[in-house]
Amino acid sequence: MLDKEKWKKRFMAILSLDSHPGHIAAGFAVGVFISFTPFFGLHTPLAIAAAFILRLNKLTCITGAWINTPITVIPILGLSYKLGRILRGLPPGELHLKGLEWQYLEKHATSLLLGSSILGFIAAILSYFACYYLVVRFRQKDESLAELTQEMEVVGEEIE
């Protein structure tokens, strides 16, 4: 189900990208936000579209969109539903679903979209700072990458 070596390679590729740490982190954060949406099966196309529209790194955006795994989908979906109901002034109720297809989620769409947007936004902010920190920290180990990163942070953009 989860191939640790595959994920480790993907994260090493992200940390090694020749791009501004903020640009890398922004792509990852947008992907994480998308991973919290209840549009299962559309996370990857949404991440690719967002990366093109917002001019973000496609690799980081897609990787962020895959953060919400089959193990975490159900708890996050339930929490999103309860949060959405509370924010709408309704009593928090249990989410009973027959499946994760839209036909089963549709009648709960308002609460799910509201709750998942709030949780996704919080997760995106946290993941932005975590990713930024990890990229900078990783690059400090390599002298040439550390110098390039420092220049990018001073200038505020990518250096060619």
Side-chain angles (χ1 to χ4, degrees), residues 33-71:
F33 177 82
I34 290 169
S35 79
F36 276 74
T37 64
F39 305 120
F40 304 110
L42 296 176
H43 288 160
T44 301
L46 286 171
I48 293 169
F52 274 108
I53 292 168
L54 301 173
R55 297 182 146 195
L56 300 170
N57 185 287
K58 286 125 193 97
L59 175 66
T60 58
C61 204
I62 292 169
T63 302
W66 292 346
I67 288 296
N68 199 351
T69 66
I71 296 169

Side-chain angles (χ1 to χ4, degrees), residues 52-123:
F52 274 108
I53 292 168
L54 301 173
R55 297 182 146 195
L56 300 170
N57 185 287
K58 286 125 193 97
L59 175 66
T60 58
C61 204
I62 292 169
T63 302
W66 292 346
I67 288 296
N68 199 351
T69 66
I71 296 169
T72 60
V73 164
I74 301 299
I76 288 175
L77 201 61
L79 187 58
S80 296
Y81 178 71
K82 286 183 180 185
L83 178 61
R85 285 187 58 90
I86 290 169
L87 292 174
R88 291 177 58 215
L90 301 170
E94 293 296 318
L95 180 62
H96 300 287
L97 296 174
K98 295 178 185 173
L100 295 177
E101 293 83 20
W102 186 247
Q103 64 192 20
Y104 302 119
L105 298 173
E106 189 175 13
K107 64 182 176 184
H108 309 291
T110 306
S111 295
L112 283 172
L113 288 172
L114 182 59
S116 66
S117 294
I118 301 296
L119 292 178
F121 184 72
I122 293 168

